[in-house]
């Protein structure tokens, strides 16, 4: 089969940075061979200068929150006041306008080196709650948007059935609910996986899915070996309400209904008891940290170190898209911990990159992505080492430079499945991503 050779000036190969690496990529978009010690580019090779890492996985996204950027930075408040503003944007979206917005947002992600997104999708129905002619019109709009932007998507179709413990959905939540978990499962079962697309499940939170319906969602994911994500203990108010309603923490409630396990990821896992941490780690349930959102919404700093030590793999997400920059998410996890403990070095740059690549992909059901090795999907991202932020690295410490100083603006090349998605800092198929974002957001305001 015809091969394309990429010559990488520096490549991060899981634990260390290697100079001069040749990647052979098949026309099917997989890495056929990795050769180290290749000092000069072989004839005909595509030359990628800088540091090449596996493609980044954005394990937690709500694409439409991108429309809120900036507008929610005025005034004071909490997560709960922010949520009211978020709901007003949710009311305006249609399948067409959501497609346009998500296409631009996913193109922004591609420019940031993100090759896979986990879209935690709960905006299912028309305003007022009636189904679209295709009940999955909104989910299909997101899938089409990811395809146009050139990135992989795991559509984490989300069950969102109640406003709180024992409370029916409120007016602005009618678009989210299918009525029951059974009806949710029926709708989601009509979504089909295809090239670049995985279908997973999500439980919005223990607030939004009644306890007696949690196992229906868990079973759907179990039957398909699909990823299952859940917002977990982002807010202390959720913990208090769950204790009052069920006499146990949200984590315990999920454990009691068969939700935890190695294909499950708790998103945030911020306010956890020691017992919660043991349940998450002991069941190999993952933890998706979203540090830029957690700090933006004044959520608190989750116990990521303790969770990982207990056995929970870590992934990273840009969630509300206050910024879209997985390198920032990665370093923020370490830097938050430094501020809290007044000590340094909780994670190495390699460990942070692993959360942003291999472990993030695993959380999204892409076990064969996120590494530069033979047989893996040919998804990779090249970070320049000669910008004003990154110039002058010690070559063997290029990963430290990338994680602790580079930004999304330093991503120059992105390849997904062997196809160039970003070349020399420009998106290949979305010519002006800034304009696409501006147009899509302006359409929601008019
Ligand atoms: Zn979220």
């Amino acid at each position: 089969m015809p091969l394309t050779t990429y010559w990488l000036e520096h490549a991060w190969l899981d634990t260390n940075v290697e100079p001069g690496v040749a990647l052979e990529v098949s026309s099917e978009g997989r890495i056929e061979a990795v050769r180290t010690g290749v000092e000069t580019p072989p004839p005909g090779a595509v030359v990628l200068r800088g540091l090449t890492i596996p493609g980044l996985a954005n394990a937690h996204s709500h694409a439409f929150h991108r429309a809120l950027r900036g507008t929610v930075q005025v005034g004071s408040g909490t997560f709960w006041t922010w949520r009211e503003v978020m709901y007003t944007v949710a009311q305006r979206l249609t399948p067409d306008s959501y497609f346009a917005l998500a296409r631009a947002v996913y193109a922004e992600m591609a420019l940031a080196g993100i090759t896979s997104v986990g879209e935690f999708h709960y905006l299912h129905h028309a305003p007022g709650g009636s189904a679209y002619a295709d009940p999955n019109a909104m989910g299909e709009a997101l899938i089409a948007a990811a395809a146009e932007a050139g990135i992989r998507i795991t559509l984490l179709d989300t069950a969102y059935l109640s406003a709180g413990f024992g409370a029916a959905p409120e007016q602005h939540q009618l678009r989210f609910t299918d009525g029951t978990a059974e009806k949710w499962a029926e709708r989601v079962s009509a979504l089909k996986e295809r090239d670049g697309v995985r279908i997973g499940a999500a439980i919005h939170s223990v607030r939004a899915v009644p306890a007696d319906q949690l196992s229906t969602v868990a079973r759907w994911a179990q039957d398909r070996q699909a990823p299952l994500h859940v917002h977990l203990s982002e807010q202390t108010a959720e913990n208090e309400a769950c204790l009052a309603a069920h006499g146990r923490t949200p984590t315990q409630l999920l454990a009691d209904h068969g939700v935890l396990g190695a294909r499950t990821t708790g998103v945030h896992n911020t306010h956890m008891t020691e017992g919660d941490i043991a349940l998450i780690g002991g069941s190999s349930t993952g933890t998706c940290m979203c540090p830029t959102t957690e700090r933006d919404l004044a959520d608190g700093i989750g116990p990521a170190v303790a969770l990982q030590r207990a056995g929970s793999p870590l992934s990273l997400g840009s969630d509300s898209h206050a910024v879209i920059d997985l390198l920032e998410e990665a370093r923020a996890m370490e830097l938050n911990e430094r501020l809290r403990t007044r000590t340094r070095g909780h994670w190495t740059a390699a460990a942070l990159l692993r959360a942003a690549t291999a472990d993030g992909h695993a959380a999204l059901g892409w076990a064969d992505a996120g590494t530069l090795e033979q047989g893996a999907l040919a998804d990779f991202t090249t970070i320049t080492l000669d910008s004003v932020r990154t110039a002058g690295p010690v070559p063997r410490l290029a990963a430290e430079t990338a994680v602790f100083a580079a930004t999304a603006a330093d991503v120059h090349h992105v390849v997904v499945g062997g196809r160039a998605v970003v070349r020399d800092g420009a998106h290949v198929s979305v010519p002006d991503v800034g304009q696409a974002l501006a147009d899509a957001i302006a359409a929601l305001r008019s």
Side-chain angles (χ1 to χ4, degrees):
M1 72 198 79
L3 295 175
T4 303
T5 302
Y6 292 85
W7 182 78
L8 316 178
E9 189 184 21
H10 303 279
W12 179 68
L13 300 181
D14 192 39
T15 52
N16 61 304
V17 171
E18 285 281 336
V21 172
L23 289 187
E24 307 282 1
V25 173
S26 72
S27 54
E28 285 82 36
R30 286 193 183 263
I31 298 172
E32 294 292 318
V34 180
R35 290 185 285 125
T36 56
V38 183
E39 285 177 18
T40 54
V46 178
V47 174
L48 298 179
R49 299 220 173 261
L51 172 69
T52 297
I53 63 174
L56 298 164
N58 189 357
H60 190 67
S61 160
H62 307 282
F64 75 89
H65 292 189
R66 174 63 179 84
L68 301 169
R69 188 180 293 177
T71 63
V72 284
Q73 299 300 349
V74 182
S76 54
T78 64
F79 168 89
W80 305 103
T81 52
W82 167 88
R83 193 177 71 153
E84 291 306 313
V85 182
M86 182 268 285
Y87 281 154
T88 62
V89 174
Q91 289 315 302
R92 299 206 185 111
L93 287 159
T94 65
D96 286 347
S97 64
Y98 205 4
F99 166 77
L101 177 60
R103 170 180 173 270
V105 174
Y106 296 155
E108 180 184 354
M109 289 186 194
L111 288 173
I114 292 161
T115 55
S116 298
V117 61
E119 181 63 35
F120 197 105
H121 165 57
Y122 53 83
L123 193 55
H124 302 305
H125 304 298
S130 56
Y132 287 109
D134 172 0
N136 286 310
M138 292 296 256
E140 291 289 355
L142 293 164
I143 288 170
E148 287 226 353
I151 68 172
R152 301 181 196 279
I153 186 170
T154 298
L155 187 74
L156 299 160
D157 194 296
T158 305
Y160 194 130
L161 307 172
S162 54
F165 298 94
E170 294 165 8
Q171 180 62 29
H172 46 245
Q173 293 162 332
L174 294 174
R175 299 193 71 177
F176 311 160
T177 180
D178 293 294
T180 65
E182 288 292 340
K183 292 220 174 82
W184 166 85
E186 202 176 296
R187 179 180 55 72
V188 179
S189 296
L191 284 163
K192 296 284 175 273
E193 296 198 333
R194 61 208 89 157
D195 204 22
V197 180
R198 291 263 146 90
I199 307 297
I203 289 164
H204 179 274
S205 57
V206 293
R207 284 178 278 127
V209 176
D212 62 359
Q213 299 187 56
L214 290 169
S215 62
T216 304
V217 183
R219 214 174 314 117
W220 186 94
Q222 170 72 30
D223 289 348
R224 287 158 183 77
Q225 297 290 295
L228 171 59
H229 287 216
V230 51
H231 287 135
L232 184 54
S233 290
E234 182 178 5
Q235 296 293 321
T236 51
E238 172 180 294
N239 289 1
E240 286 153 17
C242 189
L243 280 166
H246 296 291
R248 63 200 85 179
T249 64
T251 301
Q252 183 69 57
L253 188 70
L254 294 177
D256 292 348
H257 289 86
V259 175
L260 301 187
R263 277 178 300 90
T264 301
T265 295
V267 180
H268 304 302
N269 296 357
T270 309
H271 301 286
M272 308 229 109
T273 65
E274 292 203 357
D276 293 340
I277 292 169
L279 279 171
I280 296 282
S283 59
S284 304
T285 300
T287 295
C288 180
M289 299 290 288
C290 307
T292 69
T293 291
E294 288 149 5
R295 72 192 186 199
D296 185 66
L297 296 180
D299 288 345
I301 302 171
V305 172
L307 282 159
Q308 189 174 43
R309 206 168 283 151
S312 179
L314 300 179
S315 54
L316 296 162
S318 65
D319 189 4
S320 69
H321 311 315
V323 295
I324 294 177
D325 189 337
L326 261 279
L327 299 169
E328 175 64 29
E329 302 294 344
R331 66 176 158 261
M333 189 162 71
E334 163 70 19
L335 298 178
N336 280 349
E337 207 59 36
R338 290 185 189 180
L339 286 172
R340 175 162 60 186
T341 61
R342 290 184 286 160
T343 58
R344 311 175 82 224
H346 305 278
W347 289 278
T348 61
L352 295 169
L353 277 180
R354 216 165 292 131
T357 57
D359 290 349
H361 277 96
L364 297 178
W366 299 99
D368 50 356
T371 57
L372 298 179
E373 62 184 25
Q374 189 182 13
L377 291 166
D379 297 1
F380 42 89
T381 288
T382 305
I383 298 163
T384 185
L385 294 175
D386 58 7
S387 77
V388 290
R389 289 167 294 278
T390 58
V394 175
R396 70 183 167 80
L397 299 180
E400 281 72 8
T401 299
V403 170
F404 287 100
T407 71
D410 297 311
V411 170
H412 272 209
H413 305 284
V414 179
V415 171
V416 179
R419 281 184 26 218
V421 173
V422 174
R423 199 178 282 140
D424 296 322
H427 199 286
V428 170
S429 58
V430 181
D432 188 339
V433 177
Q435 191 63 51
L437 282 162
D439 291 347
I441 293 167
L444 295 177
R445 293 206 185 116
S446 58

